[in-house]
């Protein structure tokens, strides 16, 4: 990750108590009753009305109760214990020996009932719009987002990609929350706020994070992952090679119209190596960073010539490679903080690359120095 987010403790977290108490109280053989819920939530159930063609919120909890009661008492206890042990999402990300609750392994119908009530209804609808829930909690989801925004005010850029900004302007649509353990596989954590993290819409969509599983590799083995609210040391970027557009295949030319830069993204702290690999894989980091650099390096050049140099009359471009390295390095050093400006780590790595020995022709080109005169 590019930087660490701060976790906003907030009264809305109480919604997770509903899941906890409902499951725990449903372990013994029992009929459905509103007494299975925390007291404050019972009014939510009594106000629950079926919409045309759709079951009511309460009916969906009744379905869940029915499916849960079909398990043996021992399995109900075991599912609850696994759920309880995983409430701390951070430990699941950092300790890959720790078991993860997979309700689909208990019963397919139970898993479907959990998705219907927790993922689709509780998270998908009720949390944002149910007035009884908002009255009982004395807060809203929007207020949680505002709280997140205030607490993380020094970061404008999405920490998962560094390429796009969060939607931070009041009056505009807020960014969606990502379920770090994705909700169709882990519906039990659909309303657990330590599992929810605002994410830029480019990262959050299918094909990038979407339903990627941060806890498991493609072969089903467990892997370590960053927990977004736990401090991390970040990553180091370097550009290590460049292929001119003429040497690329037709398919590559379309993807990298200005040539292909080989970018390496590695951990700053060796103990975070596996977490960095998971992050790179889940967020398609190398492809996206390469594509960004290929399409944006002309913009970096424009910023240098049109904005930076006119503001710095002390610098004059010349044929002298040492002078050019000094000027471009000074430009590089003022590119800003990757928490507040997009693409900073990539642009810095690019400028470092063109200043390296062996890449003089790229530096001359960047500085618009006529090669015939320079060499
Ligand atoms: Zn992002």
């Amino acid at each position: 990750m590019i930087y660490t987010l701060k976790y906003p403790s907030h009264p809305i977290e109480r919604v997770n108590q509903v899941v906890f108490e409902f499951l725990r109280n449903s372990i013994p053989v029992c009929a459905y009753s509103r007494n299975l819920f925390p007291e404050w939530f019972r009014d939510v159930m009594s106000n629950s009305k079926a919409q045309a063609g759709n079951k009511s919120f309460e009916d969906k909890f009744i379905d869940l109760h029915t499916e849960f009661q079909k398990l043996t008492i021992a399995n109900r206890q075991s599912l609850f214990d696994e759920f309880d042990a995983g409430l701390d999402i951070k430990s699941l990300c950092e300790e890959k020996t720790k078991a993860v609750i997979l309700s689909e392994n208990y019963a397919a119908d139970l898993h479907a009932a959990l998705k219907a009530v927790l993922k689709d209804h509780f998270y998908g609808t009720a949390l944002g719009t149910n007035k009884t829930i908002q009255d009982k909690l004395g807060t809203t989801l929007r207020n949680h987002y505002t709280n997140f925004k205030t607490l993380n005010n020094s970061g404008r850029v999405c920490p998962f990609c560094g390429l796009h900004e969060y939607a931070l302007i009041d009056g505009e649509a807020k960014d969606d929350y990502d379920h770090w353990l994705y909700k169709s596989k882990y519906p039990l954590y659909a309303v657990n706020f330590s599992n929810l993290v605002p994410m830029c819409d480019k990262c959050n969509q299918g094909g990038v994070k979407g339903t990627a599983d941060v806890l498991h590799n493609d072969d089903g083995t467990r892997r370590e992952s960053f927990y977004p609210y736990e401090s991390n040391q970040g990553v180091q970027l370097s550009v290590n090679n460049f292929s001119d557009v003429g040497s690329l295949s037709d398919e590559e030319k379309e993807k990298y119209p200005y040539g292909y830069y080989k970018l390496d993204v590695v951990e700053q702290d060796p103990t975070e190596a596996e977490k960095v690999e998971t992050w790179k894989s889940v967020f398609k980091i190398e492809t996206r960073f390469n594509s960004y650099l290929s399409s944006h390096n002309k913009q970096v050049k424009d910023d240098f010539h049109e904005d930076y140099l006119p503001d710095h009359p002390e610098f004059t471009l010349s044929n002298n490679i040492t002078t050019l390295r000094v000027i471009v390095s000074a430009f590089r050093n003022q590119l800003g903080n990757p928490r507040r400006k997009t693409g900073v780590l990539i642009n810095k790595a690019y400028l470092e690359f063109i200043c390296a020995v062996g890449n003089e022709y790229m530096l001359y080109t960047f500085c618009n120095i006529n090669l015939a005169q320079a060499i």
Side-chain angles (χ1 to χ4, degrees):
M1 284 180 59
I2 308 296
Y3 66 92
T4 307
L5 289 170
K6 292 181 188 141
Y7 179 75
S9 288
H10 191 271
I12 204 166
E13 292 164 346
R14 273 174 75 206
V15 291
N16 203 37
Q17 188 195 7
V18 175
V19 186
F20 183 90
E21 292 200 16
F22 184 75
L23 287 178
R24 189 192 58 188
N25 295 337
S26 299
I27 294 170
V29 175
C30 62
Y32 171 82
S33 131
R34 287 178 189 157
N35 292 333
L36 296 170
F37 294 104
E39 204 173 336
W40 69 269
F41 197 73
R42 293 172 196 164
D43 283 347
V44 177
M45 289 293 94
S46 52
N47 289 344
S48 156
K49 302 269 187 305
Q51 304 282 337
N54 200 359
K55 288 184 174 180
S56 71
F57 199 8
E58 184 167 37
D59 285 342
K60 291 174 188 174
F61 267 112
I62 293 171
D63 288 348
L64 171 59
H65 185 263
T66 303
E67 296 304 329
F68 194 55
Q69 287 280 314
K70 285 181 187 170
L71 300 180
T72 62
I73 290 189
N75 274 352
R76 296 202 287 268
Q77 183 68 52
S78 146
L79 181 144
F80 174 77
D81 290 344
E82 277 192 79
F83 159 75
D84 187 23
L87 284 174
D88 168 20
I89 304 296
K90 170 179 172 293
S91 65
L92 292 176
C93 295
E94 297 184 342
E95 299 164 34
K96 61 179 177 178
T97 52
K98 189 166 172 176
V100 196
I101 173 81
L102 288 171
S103 48
E104 63 195 7
N105 290 349
Y106 282 86
D109 288 345
L110 172 71
H111 185 62
L114 282 167
K115 285 202 287 187
V117 69
L118 298 182
K119 168 176 111 41
D120 297 335
H121 201 123
F122 206 163
Y123 177 77
T125 308
L127 209 49
T129 59
N130 188 304
K131 293 279 180 279
T132 315
I133 294 180
Q134 291 172 358
D135 289 348
K136 293 286 175 187
L137 294 174
T139 192
T140 61
L141 187 60
R142 181 89 209 184
N143 182 272
H144 178 269
Y145 188 79
T146 304
N147 204 283
F148 167 85
K149 192 172 75 168
T150 306
L151 189 66
N152 288 283
N153 201 24
S154 63
R156 271 202 296 271
V157 172
C158 169
F160 301 99
C161 64
L163 302 176
H164 305 283
E165 290 195 0
Y166 275 122
L168 295 179
I169 297 174
D170 290 333
E172 293 184 349
K174 65 173 179 55
D175 282 298
D176 283 336
Y177 288 79
D178 173 72
H179 286 79
W180 195 240
L181 308 193
Y182 71 99
K183 55 190 184 296
S184 54
K185 183 161 186 170
Y186 305 99
L188 278 162
Y189 300 130
V191 293
N192 177 344
F193 272 76
S194 63
N195 189 38
L196 288 170
V197 56
M199 189 175 280
C200 87
D201 58 359
K202 296 286 188 289
C203 279
N204 201 8
Q205 61 194 228
V208 185
K209 167 69 169 60
T211 57
D213 189 346
V214 296
L215 300 183
H216 294 96
N217 293 302
D218 290 344
D219 64 4
T221 53
R222 285 275 271 122
R223 60 181 174 185
E224 282 179 29
S225 156
F226 284 122
Y227 178 60
Y229 299 114
E230 179 63 20
S231 74
N232 69 79
Q233 299 307 311
V235 290
Q236 180 111 35
L237 264 72
S238 56
V239 178
N240 292 312
N241 205 352
F242 172 68
S243 306
D244 190 79
V245 68
S247 66
L248 301 180
S249 68
D250 287 347
E251 194 184 325
E252 288 168 331
K253 275 180 195 161
E254 201 158 301
K255 208 168 167 187
Y256 307 111
Y258 305 105
Y260 173 79
Y261 293 87
K262 182 172 178 346
L263 250 166
D264 287 311
V265 185
V266 297
E267 64 283 354
Q268 294 270 27
D269 174 349
T271 65
E272 294 181 351
E274 187 170 333
K275 293 174 184 172
V276 168
E277 284 309 308
T278 301
W279 167 71
K280 281 160 61 177
S281 148
V282 165
F283 288 93
K284 313 282 187 292
I285 290 300
E286 288 187 335
T287 304
R288 293 170 79 200
F289 280 16
N290 266 299
S291 178
Y292 176 92
L293 181 52
S294 301
S295 57
H296 281 70
N297 67 68
K298 188 180 174 307
Q299 194 181 317
V300 179
K301 185 176 170 179
D302 290 345
D303 289 348
F304 177 64
H305 288 280
E306 293 172 20
D307 300 323
Y308 183 74
L309 287 179
D311 284 347
H312 292 82
E314 70 275 24
F315 289 140
T316 307
L317 299 176
S318 76
N319 292 351
N320 185 304
I321 194 77
T322 307
T323 304
L324 295 184
R325 284 190 181 122
V326 168
I327 298 172
V328 172
S329 296
F331 169 60
R332 175 186 176 274
N333 290 340
Q334 55 81 58
L335 281 182
N337 186 324
R339 299 165 70 101
R340 292 188 286 279
K341 279 184 77 180
T342 56
V344 165
L345 292 181
I346 303 173
N347 292 338
K348 284 190 167 182
Y350 167 67
L351 294 173
E352 200 164 325
F353 176 63
I354 64 171
C355 285
V357 173
N359 295 334
E360 289 78 5
Y361 76 99
M362 279 192 256
L363 186 56
Y364 284 129
T365 307
F366 183 82
C367 294
N368 290 337
I369 300 294
N370 184 315
L371 288 176
Q373 286 172 9
I375 297 171

